[in-house]
Amino acid sequence: MDELRRKGLEKMNEVYGWEMPNIEGDPYFDLTVDHLFGTIWTREGLSMREKRLLTLASVTAVGNSDLAEIQVNAALHNEEFTVDELKEVAVFLTHYLGFPLGSKLDGAVSKVARNRKKAAEKGEREDTAEKRRANVNAAVKMHSGSKLDDK
């Protein structure tokens, strides 16, 4: 594995909060790991919190609540935002993107917060193996158009 791929996977793992496998030969995944995470997410100039906020705004703007859930969970896992702050982000974005899209983000925040609370009450980690696998598959699909199981 070359240095750019290693750097990209490390940043991708940090951004998502779980271990992303190295998938060789998928041009979209290669571009995502090497360029997006190896070059763009590692640039100076914006904090991780600012990058997360921009990502949340983007996935909210396109109406993708599945990706919003992944980003919300990662933001909470990495302690970049609190649930209350994420709720405020949803309220703010609602006034720029409209009620349907803003409410989707609010719903994603509520769902993730509820799932994390239930897991904590049971003494479990919020990122079970099954949930990690689903998240990895969602991220791989987002970045390459296919699921990990398809490889």
Side-chain angles (χ1 to χ4, degrees), residues 100-114:
L101 294 173
S103 66
K104 278 186 177 183
L105 177 58
D106 183 71
V109 172
S110 295
K111 181 179 178 181
V112 169
R114 189 171 49 252

Side-chain angles (χ1 to χ4, degrees), residues 50-147:
E50 291 164 334
K51 291 172 186 174
R52 179 83 62 203
L53 187 59
L54 290 166
T55 304
L56 281 166
S58 298
V59 299
T60 301
V62 298
N64 195 325
S65 52
D66 290 339
L67 294 179
E69 285 180 31
I70 291 170
Q71 292 297 324
V72 165
N73 194 51
L76 293 171
H77 174 81
N78 291 331
E79 299 179 348
E80 296 158 348
F81 289 90
T82 65
V83 171
D84 289 340
E85 289 171 325
L86 290 168
K87 290 284 205 174
E88 283 300 315
V89 169
V91 168
F92 186 85
L93 288 176
T94 295
H95 291 84
Y96 285 91
L97 301 175
F99 189 85
L101 294 173
S103 66
K104 278 186 177 183
L105 177 58
D106 183 71
V109 172
S110 295
K111 181 179 178 181
V112 169
R114 189 171 49 252
N115 289 344
R116 291 174 69 89
K117 183 178 179 185
K118 284 180 186 176
E121 287 171 354
K122 293 179 180 178
E124 299 172 351
R125 293 177 48 172
E126 72 277 357
D127 62 341
T128 63
E130 180 179 317
K131 183 68 172 171
R132 279 193 308 273
R133 180 75 169 178
N135 285 341
V136 168
N137 272 331
V140 168
K141 184 175 183 182
M142 172 180 67
H143 294 297
S144 70
S146 60
K147 290 193 297 190

Side-chain angles (χ1 to χ4, degrees), residues 2-3 13 39 45 48 89 92 100 102 119 122-123 150:
D2 69 17
E3 180 62 18
N13 292 337
T39 303
M48 283 295 290
V89 169
F92 186 85
K122 293 179 180 178
D150 295 340

